[in-house]
Amino acid sequence: MSDKKNEDYTIRMPDSGMRSPFGGEKDPFIPPRPARTASHPGVNSQIAKIENSPAISILAYCLSSISMTVVNKYVVSGSDWNLNFFYLAVQSIVCIVTIEVCKQLGLIKNLAPFDINKGKRWFPISLLLVGMIYTSTKSLQFLSVPVYTIFKNLTIIVIAYGEVLWFGGSVTPLALLSFGLMVLSSVVAAWSDTRHASQTAEAAAALATLNAGYAWMGLNVFCTASYVLGMRKVIKNMNFKDWDTMFYNNFLTIPVLIVCSLIAEDWSSDNLAKNFPPESRNALFVGMIYSGMAAIFISYCSAWCIRVTSSTTYSMVGALNKLPIAVSGLVFFSAPVTVGSVSAIFIGFVSGIVYAWAKVRQSQVAKNSLPTTQPTMSASSQSNRDANS
């Protein structure tokens, strides 16, 4: 759940002995290539081509990210849906089961056993994660996918200035330009959405839905920033390896989500029937299970993409991926296609490219300069996966 790809923010482990995807070593989730036997040279050659294909790795990363957002939107978009805590608990349980299966199969090699002392220290971060993912599903429930994707960019701004206040970070002029474009795209998206809603037959209800979505989105921006910045503050002392963060986040949030669901959500047979109507029940269950597994898929595809391309290419792909995610909302959920909505998507797309380029430039400058102090590691840089994410 820490890698839920409707959430764009995942901290890379700094100074903890972790083999970073941006370093020279491969992600241990990707198993070493087995020795090819001479009996099937044609098949082995094709597999090797796929494993080392930049195009296929980028496509896999984009498809896994897009599918996660689309599936999340499908599950929570029912007219009577109100079991968000239950949905998130299922995601966490499926993710934990998948991690354990991968560990038993040897795909994840460095996942340490659960340490109760580390669990106690990490629990407050998991509570912040619950706030982040709950407000994310609520905002996605009320807003269209394009508007949701555009507004998620605002989280980058809050994180960046949080770093300036608490970690001595800095904002370059190019990054500041991207922030301005992000704000502009959000204003245009909100204006287009409210204008379209006011022209519908049930304008009052449509506007009320949008206002609820904007409120949840605002909460999500600050919850996400709190989670990312809080994680950065704590994670240096945890000595977590590659998959420990995902494991602890999911494992610790399961009881919290189950208790919240039992207390705050209606478990009557009538409400369950409304949330899981017979005609779509099986599809909803499949979507809920897939969303839990998608966190693993996205992590694998991210490491694969970085291994066969570069961290710079990966950053740009994450920025460019915003466009197909937004377009998927227009295709799969009949989001209104207006001049305003298309303009907002385009401006948000450009802002993502400018931001990714700003981070690349900042990294190049840092590499070319002689450090006189321990460099400050940016939480937004570490966490910027799909906006990220």
Coordinates of all heavy atoms in Angstrom, one line a residue, residues 164-247:
V164 N 11.7 22.9 2.2 CA 12.4 24.2 2.4 C 12.3 24.6 3.9 O 13.3 25.1 4.5 CB 11.8 25.3 1.5 CG1 12.3 26.7 1.9 CG2 12.0 25.0 0.0
L165 N 11.1 24.4 4.5 CA 10.9 24.8 5.9 C 11.6 23.9 6.9 O 12.2 24.4 7.9 CB 9.4 24.8 6.2 CG 8.6 25.9 5.5 CD1 7.1 25.7 5.8 CD2 9.0 27.3 6.0
W166 N 11.6 22.6 6.6 CA 12.0 21.6 7.7 C 13.4 20.9 7.4 O 14.0 20.4 8.3 CB 11.0 20.6 7.9 CG 9.7 21.2 8.5 CD1 9.7 22.0 9.6 CD2 8.4 21.1 8.0 NE1 8.4 22.4 9.9 CE2 7.5 21.8 8.9 CE3 7.8 20.4 7.0 CZ2 6.2 21.9 8.7 CZ3 6.4 20.5 6.8 CH2 5.6 21.3 7.7
F167 N 13.8 20.9 6.1 CA 15.0 20.1 5.8 C 16.0 20.9 5.0 O 17.0 20.4 4.5 CB 14.6 18.9 4.9 CG 13.7 17.9 5.6 CD1 12.3 17.8 5.3 CD2 14.2 17.1 6.6 CE1 11.5 17.0 6.0 CE2 13.3 16.2 7.3 CZ 12.0 16.1 7.0
G168 N 15.8 22.2 4.9 CA 16.8 23.1 4.2 C 16.8 22.8 2.7 O 17.9 23.0 2.1
G169 N 15.7 22.4 2.1 CA 15.7 22.2 0.7 C 15.7 23.5 -0.1 O 15.7 24.6 0.5
S170 N 15.7 23.4 -1.4 CA 15.6 24.6 -2.2 C 14.7 24.4 -3.4 O 14.5 23.3 -3.8 CB 17.0 25.0 -2.7 OG 17.6 23.9 -3.5
V171 N 14.2 25.5 -4.0 CA 13.3 25.4 -5.2 C 14.0 26.2 -6.3 O 14.3 27.4 -6.1 CB 12.0 26.0 -4.9 CG1 11.1 26.0 -6.1 CG2 11.3 25.2 -3.8
T172 N 14.3 25.6 -7.4 CA 15.0 26.2 -8.5 C 14.0 27.0 -9.3 O 12.8 26.8 -9.2 CB 15.7 25.2 -9.4 OG1 14.7 24.3 -10.0 CG2 16.6 24.3 -8.7
P173 N 14.4 28.0 -10.1 CA 13.5 28.8 -10.9 C 12.7 27.9 -11.9 O 11.5 28.1 -12.1 CB 14.4 29.7 -11.7 CG 15.6 29.9 -10.8 CD 15.8 28.6 -10.1
L174 N 13.3 26.9 -12.5 CA 12.6 26.0 -13.4 C 11.5 25.2 -12.6 O 10.4 25.0 -13.2 CB 13.6 25.0 -14.1 CG 13.1 24.3 -15.3 CD1 12.6 25.2 -16.4 CD2 14.2 23.3 -15.8
A175 N 11.8 24.7 -11.4 CA 10.8 24.0 -10.6 C 9.7 25.0 -10.3 O 8.5 24.6 -10.3 CB 11.5 23.5 -9.3
L176 N 10.0 26.3 -10.0 CA 9.0 27.2 -9.7 C 8.1 27.5 -10.9 O 6.8 27.6 -10.7 CB 9.7 28.6 -9.3 CG 8.8 29.6 -8.6 CD1 8.2 29.1 -7.3 CD2 9.6 30.9 -8.4
L177 N 8.6 27.5 -12.1 CA 7.8 27.6 -13.3 C 6.8 26.4 -13.4 O 5.7 26.6 -13.7 CB 8.7 27.6 -14.5 CG 8.0 27.6 -15.9 CD1 7.1 28.8 -16.0 CD2 9.0 27.5 -17.0
S178 N 7.4 25.2 -13.1 CA 6.5 24.0 -13.2 C 5.4 24.1 -12.1 O 4.2 23.7 -12.4 CB 7.3 22.7 -13.0 OG 7.7 22.6 -11.6
F179 N 5.7 24.6 -10.9 CA 4.6 24.8 -9.9 C 3.5 25.8 -10.4 O 2.3 25.5 -10.2 CB 5.2 25.3 -8.6 CG 6.2 24.4 -8.0 CD1 7.1 24.8 -7.0 CD2 6.3 23.1 -8.3 CE1 8.0 24.0 -6.4 CE2 7.2 22.2 -7.7 CZ 8.1 22.7 -6.8
G180 N 3.9 26.8 -11.0 CA 3.0 27.8 -11.6 C 2.1 27.1 -12.6 O 0.8 27.3 -12.6
L181 N 2.6 26.3 -13.4 CA 1.8 25.6 -14.4 C 0.9 24.6 -13.8 O -0.2 24.4 -14.2 CB 2.8 24.9 -15.4 CG 3.6 25.8 -16.4 CD1 4.6 24.9 -17.2 CD2 2.6 26.5 -17.3
M182 N 1.4 23.9 -12.7 CA 0.5 23.0 -12.0 C -0.7 23.7 -11.4 O -1.8 23.2 -11.4 CB 1.3 22.3 -10.9 CG 2.4 21.3 -11.4 SD 3.4 20.7 -10.0 CE 4.7 19.8 -10.9
V183 N -0.5 24.8 -10.8 CA -1.6 25.6 -10.2 C -2.5 26.0 -11.3 O -3.8 25.9 -11.1 CB -1.0 26.8 -9.4 CG1 -2.2 27.7 -8.9 CG2 -0.2 26.3 -8.2
L184 N -2.0 26.5 -12.4 CA -2.8 27.0 -13.5 C -3.7 25.8 -14.0 O -4.9 26.0 -14.3 CB -2.0 27.5 -14.6 CG -2.7 28.0 -15.9 CD1 -3.7 29.1 -15.6 CD2 -1.7 28.4 -16.9
S185 N -3.1 24.6 -14.2 CA -3.8 23.5 -14.7 C -5.0 23.1 -13.8 O -6.1 22.8 -14.2 CB -2.9 22.3 -15.0 OG -2.4 21.8 -13.8
S186 N -4.7 23.2 -12.5 CA -5.8 22.9 -11.5 C -6.9 23.9 -11.5 O -8.1 23.5 -11.4 CB -5.1 22.8 -10.1 OG -4.1 21.9 -10.0
V187 N -6.6 25.2 -11.7 CA -7.6 26.2 -11.8 C -8.4 26.0 -13.0 O -9.7 26.1 -13.0 CB -7.0 27.6 -11.8 CG1 -8.0 28.7 -12.1 CG2 -6.3 27.9 -10.4
V188 N -7.8 25.7 -14.1 CA -8.5 25.5 -15.4 C -9.4 24.3 -15.3 O -10.6 24.3 -15.7 CB -7.6 25.4 -16.6 CG1 -8.3 25.0 -17.9 CG2 -6.8 26.7 -16.8
A189 N -8.9 23.2 -14.7 CA -9.7 22.0 -14.5 C -10.9 22.2 -13.6 O -12.0 21.7 -14.0 CB -8.8 20.9 -13.9
A190 N -10.7 22.9 -12.5 CA -11.8 23.2 -11.6 C -12.9 24.1 -12.3 O -14.1 23.8 -12.2 CB -11.3 23.8 -10.4
W191 N -12.4 25.1 -13.0 CA -13.3 25.9 -13.8 C -14.1 25.2 -14.8 O -15.4 25.3 -14.9 CB -12.6 27.1 -14.4 CG -13.4 27.9 -15.4 CD1 -14.3 28.8 -15.2 CD2 -13.3 27.7 -16.9 NE1 -14.8 29.3 -16.3 CE2 -14.3 28.6 -17.4 CE3 -12.6 26.9 -17.7 CZ2 -14.5 28.7 -18.8 CZ3 -12.8 27.0 -19.1 CH2 -13.8 27.9 -19.6
S192 N -13.5 24.3 -15.6 CA -14.1 23.5 -16.6 C -15.1 22.6 -16.0 O -16.3 22.4 -16.5 CB -13.1 22.8 -17.4 OG -13.7 21.9 -18.4
D193 N -14.8 21.9 -14.9 CA -15.7 21.0 -14.3 C -16.9 21.6 -13.7 O -18.0 21.1 -13.9 CB -14.9 20.2 -13.1 CG -14.8 18.8 -13.4 OD1 -15.0 18.3 -14.5 OD2 -14.5 18.0 -12.4
T194 N -16.7 22.7 -13.0 CA -17.9 23.4 -12.4 C -18.8 24.0 -13.5 O -20.0 24.0 -13.3 CB -17.4 24.5 -11.4 OG1 -16.5 25.4 -12.1 CG2 -16.7 23.9 -10.2
R195 N -18.2 24.5 -14.5 CA -19.0 25.1 -15.6 C -19.8 24.0 -16.3 O -21.0 24.2 -16.6 CB -18.1 25.7 -16.6 CG -18.8 26.4 -17.8 CD -17.9 27.0 -18.8 NE -18.6 27.7 -19.8 CZ -18.1 28.2 -20.9 NH1 -16.8 28.1 -21.1 NH2 -18.8 28.8 -21.9
H196 N -19.2 22.8 -16.5 CA -20.0 21.7 -17.1 C -21.1 21.2 -16.2 O -22.2 20.9 -16.6 CB -19.0 20.6 -17.5 CG -19.7 19.4 -18.1 ND1 -20.2 18.4 -17.4 CD2 -20.0 19.1 -19.4 CE1 -20.8 17.5 -18.2 NE2 -20.6 17.9 -19.4
A197 N -20.8 21.1 -14.9 CA -21.8 20.6 -13.9 C -22.9 21.6 -13.8 O -24.1 21.2 -13.7 CB -21.1 20.4 -12.6
S198 N -22.7 22.9 -13.9 CA -23.8 23.9 -13.7 C -24.7 23.9 -14.9 O -25.8 24.4 -14.8 CB -23.2 25.3 -13.6 OG -22.4 25.7 -14.8
Q199 N -24.3 23.3 -16.0 CA -25.2 23.2 -17.2 C -25.9 21.9 -17.4 O -26.7 21.7 -18.3 CB -24.3 23.4 -18.5 CG -23.6 24.8 -18.6 CD -22.6 24.9 -19.7 OE1 -22.3 23.9 -20.3 NE2 -22.2 26.1 -20.0
T200 N -25.8 21.0 -16.4 CA -26.5 19.7 -16.4 C -27.9 19.9 -15.8 O -28.2 20.9 -15.2 CB -25.7 18.6 -15.7 OG1 -25.6 19.1 -14.3 CG2 -24.4 18.4 -16.3
A201 N -28.7 18.8 -16.0 CA -30.1 18.9 -15.5 C -30.1 18.9 -14.0 O -31.0 19.6 -13.4 CB -30.9 17.7 -16.0
E202 N -29.2 18.2 -13.4 CA -29.2 18.2 -11.9 C -28.0 19.0 -11.4 O -27.0 18.4 -10.8 CB -29.2 16.8 -11.4 CG -30.4 16.0 -11.8 CD -30.3 14.5 -11.3 OE1 -29.3 14.1 -10.8 OE2 -31.4 13.8 -11.4
A203 N -28.0 20.3 -11.7 CA -26.8 21.1 -11.5 C -26.4 21.1 -10.0 O -25.2 21.1 -9.6 CB -27.0 22.5 -12.0
A204 N -27.4 21.3 -9.1 CA -27.1 21.4 -7.7 C -26.4 20.1 -7.1 O -25.4 20.2 -6.4 CB -28.4 21.6 -6.9
A205 N -26.9 19.0 -7.5 CA -26.3 17.7 -7.0 C -24.9 17.5 -7.6 O -24.0 17.1 -6.9 CB -27.2 16.5 -7.4
A206 N -24.8 17.9 -8.9 CA -23.5 17.7 -9.5 C -22.4 18.7 -8.9 O -21.3 18.3 -8.7 CB -23.6 18.0 -11.0
L207 N -22.8 19.9 -8.6 CA -21.9 20.8 -8.0 C -21.6 20.4 -6.5 O -20.4 20.6 -6.1 CB -22.5 22.3 -8.0 CG -22.6 23.0 -9.3 CD1 -23.4 24.3 -9.2 CD2 -21.2 23.2 -9.9
A208 N -22.6 19.9 -5.8 CA -22.3 19.4 -4.5 C -21.3 18.2 -4.5 O -20.4 18.1 -3.6 CB -23.6 18.9 -3.8
T209 N -21.4 17.3 -5.5 CA -20.5 16.2 -5.7 C -19.1 16.7 -5.9 O -18.1 16.3 -5.3 CB -20.9 15.3 -6.8 OG1 -22.2 14.7 -6.5 CG2 -19.9 14.2 -7.0
L210 N -19.0 17.7 -6.8 CA -17.6 18.3 -7.1 C -17.0 19.0 -5.9 O -15.8 18.8 -5.6 CB -17.8 19.3 -8.3 CG -18.0 18.8 -9.7 CD1 -18.1 19.9 -10.7 CD2 -16.8 17.8 -10.0
N211 N -17.8 19.7 -5.2 CA -17.3 20.4 -4.0 C -16.8 19.4 -2.9 O -15.8 19.6 -2.3 CB -18.4 21.3 -3.3 CG -18.7 22.5 -4.2 OD1 -17.9 22.9 -5.0 ND2 -19.9 23.0 -4.1
A212 N -17.5 18.3 -2.8 CA -17.1 17.2 -1.9 C -15.7 16.7 -2.4 O -14.8 16.4 -1.6 CB -18.1 16.1 -1.8
G213 N -15.6 16.5 -3.7 CA -14.4 15.9 -4.3 C -13.2 16.9 -4.1 O -12.1 16.4 -3.7
Y214 N -13.4 18.2 -4.2 CA -12.4 19.2 -4.0 C -11.9 19.2 -2.6 O -10.7 19.4 -2.3 CB -12.8 20.6 -4.5 CG -13.1 20.6 -6.0 CD1 -14.1 21.4 -6.5 CD2 -12.3 20.0 -6.9 CE1 -14.4 21.5 -7.8 CE2 -12.5 20.0 -8.3 CZ -13.6 20.8 -8.7 OH -13.8 20.9 -10.1
A215 N -12.9 19.1 -1.7 CA -12.6 19.1 -0.2 C -11.7 17.9 0.1 O -10.7 18.0 0.8 CB -13.9 19.1 0.6
W216 N -12.1 16.7 -0.4 CA -11.3 15.5 -0.1 C -9.9 15.6 -0.8 O -8.9 15.2 -0.2 CB -12.0 14.3 -0.6 CG -13.1 13.8 0.3 CD1 -14.5 13.8 0.0 CD2 -13.0 13.3 1.6 NE1 -15.2 13.3 1.1 CE2 -14.3 13.0 2.1 CE3 -11.9 13.0 2.4 CZ2 -14.5 12.4 3.4 CZ3 -12.1 12.5 3.7 CH2 -13.4 12.2 4.1
M217 N -9.9 16.2 -2.0 CA -8.6 16.4 -2.7 C -7.7 17.3 -1.9 O -6.5 17.0 -1.8 CB -8.9 16.9 -4.1 CG -7.7 16.9 -5.0 SD -7.4 15.2 -5.6 CE -5.8 14.8 -4.8
G218 N -8.2 18.4 -1.3 CA -7.4 19.3 -0.5 C -6.8 18.5 0.7 O -5.7 18.7 1.0
L219 N -7.7 17.7 1.4 CA -7.2 17.0 2.5 C -6.1 16.0 2.1 O -5.1 15.8 2.7 CB -8.4 16.2 3.2 CG -9.3 17.1 4.0 CD1 -10.5 16.2 4.4 CD2 -8.6 17.7 5.2
N220 N -6.3 15.4 0.9 CA -5.4 14.4 0.4 C -4.0 15.0 0.1 O -3.0 14.4 0.4 CB -5.9 13.7 -0.9 CG -4.9 12.7 -1.5 OD1 -4.3 13.0 -2.5 ND2 -4.7 11.6 -0.8
V221 N -4.0 16.2 -0.4 CA -2.7 16.9 -0.7 C -1.9 17.1 0.6 O -0.7 16.7 0.6 CB -3.0 18.3 -1.4 CG1 -1.7 19.1 -1.4 CG2 -3.5 18.1 -2.8
F222 N -2.5 17.5 1.6 CA -1.8 17.7 2.9 C -1.5 16.4 3.6 O -0.4 16.3 4.2 CB -2.6 18.7 3.8 CG -2.5 20.1 3.3 CD1 -3.6 20.6 2.6 CD2 -1.4 20.9 3.5 CE1 -3.6 21.9 2.1 CE2 -1.4 22.2 3.0 CZ -2.5 22.7 2.3
C223 N -2.4 15.4 3.5 CA -2.1 14.1 4.1 C -0.9 13.4 3.4 O -0.1 12.8 4.0 CB -3.4 13.2 4.0 SG -4.7 13.6 5.2
T224 N -0.9 13.5 2.1 CA 0.2 12.9 1.3 C 1.5 13.6 1.6 O 2.5 12.9 1.8 CB -0.1 13.0 -0.2 OG1 -1.3 12.4 -0.5 CG2 1.0 12.4 -1.0
A225 N 1.5 14.9 1.7 CA 2.7 15.7 2.0 C 3.2 15.3 3.4 O 4.4 15.1 3.7 CB 2.5 17.2 1.9
S226 N 2.3 15.2 4.4 CA 2.6 14.8 5.7 C 3.2 13.4 5.8 O 4.2 13.2 6.5 CB 1.4 14.9 6.6 OG 0.8 16.2 6.7
Y227 N 2.7 12.5 5.0 CA 3.2 11.1 5.0 C 4.6 11.1 4.4 O 5.5 10.5 5.0 CB 2.2 10.3 4.1 CG 2.8 8.9 3.8 CD1 3.0 7.9 4.7 CD2 3.2 8.6 2.5 CE1 3.5 6.7 4.4 CE2 3.7 7.4 2.1 CZ 3.9 6.5 3.1 OH 4.4 5.2 2.7
V228 N 4.8 11.8 3.3 CA 6.1 11.7 2.6 C 7.2 12.4 3.5 O 8.3 11.9 3.7 CB 6.0 12.4 1.2 CG1 7.4 12.6 0.6 CG2 5.1 11.6 0.3
L229 N 6.9 13.6 4.0 CA 7.8 14.3 4.9 C 8.1 13.6 6.2 O 9.2 13.5 6.7 CB 7.3 15.7 5.1 CG 7.3 16.6 3.9 CD1 6.5 17.9 4.2 CD2 8.6 16.9 3.3
G230 N 7.0 13.0 6.8 CA 7.2 12.3 8.0 C 8.0 11.0 7.8 O 8.8 10.6 8.6
M231 N 7.8 10.3 6.6 CA 8.5 9.1 6.3 C 10.0 9.5 6.2 O 10.9 8.8 6.7 CB 8.0 8.5 5.0 CG 8.8 7.2 4.7 SD 8.3 6.5 3.1 CE 6.7 5.8 3.5
R232 N 10.3 10.6 5.5 CA 11.7 11.0 5.3 C 12.4 11.2 6.7 O 13.5 10.9 6.8 CB 11.8 12.3 4.5 CG 13.2 12.7 4.3 CD 13.3 14.1 3.7 NE 14.7 14.5 3.7 CZ 15.2 15.6 3.3 NH1 14.3 16.5 2.8 NH2 16.4 15.9 3.4
K233 N 11.6 11.8 7.6 CA 12.2 12.1 8.9 C 12.5 10.8 9.7 O 13.5 10.8 10.4 CB 11.3 13.0 9.7 CG 11.9 13.6 11.0 CD 10.9 14.5 11.6 CE 11.5 15.2 12.8 NZ 12.6 16.0 12.5
V234 N 11.7 9.8 9.5 CA 11.9 8.6 10.3 C 12.7 7.5 9.7 O 13.4 6.8 10.3 CB 10.5 8.0 10.7 CG1 10.6 6.7 11.4 CG2 9.7 9.0 11.5
I235 N 12.7 7.4 8.4 CA 13.2 6.3 7.7 C 14.7 6.1 7.8 O 15.2 5.0 7.7 CB 12.8 6.3 6.2 CG1 12.8 4.9 5.6 CG2 13.6 7.3 5.4 CD1 12.2 4.8 4.2
K236 N 15.4 7.2 8.0 CA 16.9 7.1 8.0 C 17.3 6.3 9.2 O 18.4 5.7 9.2 CB 17.5 8.5 8.1 CG 17.4 9.3 6.8 CD 18.1 10.7 6.9 CE 18.1 11.4 5.6 NZ 18.8 12.7 5.7
N237 N 16.5 6.3 10.3 CA 16.9 5.5 11.5 C 16.4 4.1 11.5 O 16.6 3.4 12.5 CB 16.4 6.3 12.7 CG 17.0 7.7 12.8 OD1 18.1 7.9 12.5 ND2 16.1 8.7 13.2
M238 N 15.6 3.7 10.5 CA 15.0 2.4 10.5 C 15.8 1.3 9.9 O 15.6 0.1 10.1 CB 13.6 2.5 9.8 CG 12.6 3.4 10.4 SD 12.2 2.9 12.1 CE 11.3 1.4 11.8
N239 N 16.8 1.7 9.0 CA 17.6 0.7 8.3 C 16.8 -0.3 7.5 O 17.1 -1.5 7.4 CB 18.5 -0.1 9.3 CG 19.7 -0.8 8.6 OD1 20.1 -0.3 7.6 ND2 20.1 -1.9 9.2
F240 N 15.8 0.2 6.8 CA 14.9 -0.6 6.0 C 15.6 -1.0 4.7 O 16.3 -0.1 4.1 CB 13.6 0.1 5.7 CG 12.5 -0.1 6.8 CD1 11.4 0.8 6.8 CD2 12.7 -1.0 7.7 CE1 10.5 0.6 7.7 CE2 11.7 -1.2 8.7 CZ 10.6 -0.3 8.7
K241 N 15.4 -2.2 4.2 CA 15.9 -2.6 2.9 C 14.8 -2.3 1.9 O 13.8 -1.7 2.2 CB 16.3 -4.1 2.9 CG 17.3 -4.4 4.0 CD 18.7 -3.8 3.7 CE 19.7 -4.2 4.7 NZ 20.9 -3.4 4.7
D242 N 15.0 -3.0 0.7 CA 14.1 -2.6 -0.4 C 12.6 -2.7 -0.2 O 11.9 -1.9 -0.5 CB 14.5 -3.4 -1.6 CG 16.0 -3.3 -1.9 OD1 16.4 -2.2 -2.4 OD2 16.8 -4.2 -1.7
W243 N 12.2 -3.9 0.3 CA 10.8 -4.2 0.4 C 10.2 -4.0 1.8 O 9.0 -4.3 2.0 CB 10.5 -5.6 -0.1 CG 10.8 -5.7 -1.6 CD1 12.0 -6.1 -2.1 CD2 10.0 -5.2 -2.7 NE1 11.9 -6.0 -3.5 CE2 10.7 -5.5 -3.9 CE3 8.8 -4.7 -2.8 CZ2 10.2 -5.2 -5.1 CZ3 8.3 -4.4 -4.0 CH2 9.0 -4.6 -5.2
D244 N 11.0 -3.7 2.8 CA 10.6 -3.5 4.2 C 9.5 -2.5 4.3 O 8.5 -2.6 5.1 CB 11.7 -3.2 5.1 CG 12.7 -4.4 5.2 OD1 12.2 -5.5 5.0 OD2 13.9 -4.2 5.5
T245 N 9.7 -1.3 3.6 CA 8.7 -0.2 3.8 C 7.4 -0.6 3.3 O 6.4 -0.4 4.0 CB 9.2 1.0 2.9 OG1 10.5 1.4 3.3 CG2 8.3 2.2 3.1
M246 N 7.3 -1.3 2.1 CA 6.0 -1.8 1.7 C 5.4 -2.8 2.6 O 4.2 -2.7 2.9 CB 6.1 -2.4 0.3 CG 4.8 -2.8 -0.3 SD 5.0 -3.7 -1.9 CE 5.5 -2.3 -3.0
F247 N 6.2 -3.7 3.1 CA 5.7 -4.7 4.0 C 5.1 -4.1 5.3 O 4.0 -4.4 5.7 CB 6.8 -5.7 4.3 CG 6.3 -6.8 5.2 CD1 5.6 -7.9 4.8 CD2 6.6 -6.8 6.6 CE1 5.2 -8.9 5.6 CE2 6.2 -7.8 7.5 CZ 5.5 -8.8 7.0

